[in-house]
Amino acid sequence: MIETTYQNNVLTAFLSGEIDHDSACEIRARVDGIAQSLKPRLLCLDFGKVSFMDSSGVGLVMGRYRQMKLLGGALRVQNVSPGIYRIFAMSGLEGLGVMG
Amino acid sequence: MNAKNEMHLRFPSKSCNEAFARSVAAAFVMNLDPTVTELSDLKTAVSEAVTNCIVHGYRRESGTVFLSGKIDENGRVVFKIRDKGCGIADVRQAMQPLFTTAAEEERAGLGFAVMQSFCDKVRVTSAVGKGTTVTLEKQLGNG
């Protein structure tokens, strides 16, 4: 469900499959665990292989945004398909400047 | 397109059943030959409603979620998602975008906004201590 890479102080989490309340809890635990140990300058959440997302994905991004602020880093969201973008657009996330 | 049909399903309020419920909803409308967007809209709306039952209705306690679906002869789909959980005291407030009672669980407060955006009609009836019913309506086959 998640593959991660760490390069030049950038942690990238490649998410895949369906993101709902159930899977978001697992992704959150996994990504936070890695981010807390590596303390990256930037966390990239890559949505390229996400086939479905409900509003749980918005909570996931907002939560990681806060988490990265606490760790002194930044967050970027990348490879968002138009279908998934519709849900992000409703949330005002664009105002945070995280949408890559 | 004479696709008059209906279905009834009940399942425990486990979060693994969120995926199960939206898959059933998608399978149920499949013979209406929905577009990819229509299918995604319905799956997302049903996922939001079922998640509400599990996270808010039953507050992570065990309970039963009821999902029923109806298709009329004009391709109009109606899903009802019901729980017998805690109910909502102020439905109008609960439906405000970004309002949430589960911020610590990273709920964005967008569930009803998504349902309203992806369906033609959303109706919520609720009684405190008795439960909540969400009715989602969507016309399929409009292009």
Side-chain angles (χ1 to χ4, degrees), chain A residues 76-93:
Chain A
R76 191 167 72 210
V77 173
Q78 63 189 31
N79 282 327
V80 175
S81 69
I84 287 170
Y85 187 82
R86 288 193 302 164
I87 295 173
F88 282 134
M90 270 178 223
S91 68
L93 267 181

Side-chain angles (χ1 to χ4, degrees), chain A residues 18-23 25 28 32 52-56 58-60 62-64 66 83 86-87 90-91, chain B residues 15-16 18-19 22 37 40-41 43-44 47-48 51 55 60 104-108 110-111 113-114 117-118:
Chain A
E18 305 202 326
I19 299 181
D20 60 8
H21 159 248
D22 191 31
S23 63
C25 293
R28 162 164 65 157
D32 282 2
F52 170 89
M53 188 188 91
D54 65 17
S55 70
S56 307
V58 175
L60 181 72
M62 285 177 162
R64 302 299 65 68
R66 282 192 287 269
R86 288 193 302 164
I87 295 173
M90 270 178 223
S91 68
Chain B
S15 58
C16 63
E18 293 153 8
R22 65 176 178 266
T37 304
S40 164
D41 287 356
K43 278 179 75 176
T44 310
S47 192
E48 298 289 354
T51 303
V55 175
R60 302 295 204 109
E104 75 288 350
E105 290 194 54
E106 299 192 343
R107 303 304 305 158
L110 288 173
V114 167
S117 170
F118 290 179

Side-chain angles (χ1 to χ4, degrees), chain A residues 8-91:
Chain A
N8 302 325
N9 219 359
V10 176
L11 173 64
T12 305
F14 296 91
L15 311 178
S16 60
E18 305 202 326
I19 299 181
D20 60 8
H21 159 248
D22 191 31
S23 63
C25 293
E26 289 176 48
I27 296 169
R28 162 164 65 157
R30 181 84 194 280
V31 172
D32 282 2
I34 300 170
Q36 275 157 14
S37 63
L38 294 175
K39 295 192 173 48
R41 157 179 75 80
L42 181 68
L43 168 65
C44 286
L45 294 178
D46 188 296
F47 283 75
K49 288 186 178 163
V50 174
S51 55
F52 170 89
M53 188 188 91
D54 65 17
S55 70
S56 307
V58 175
L60 181 72
V61 169
M62 285 177 162
R64 302 299 65 68
Y65 175 77
R66 282 192 287 269
Q67 179 71 22
M68 285 311 294
K69 279 216 143 171
L70 287 174
L71 293 174
L75 176 74
R76 191 167 72 210
V77 173
Q78 63 189 31
N79 282 327
V80 175
S81 69
I84 287 170
Y85 187 82
R86 288 193 302 164
I87 295 173
F88 282 134
M90 270 178 223
S91 68

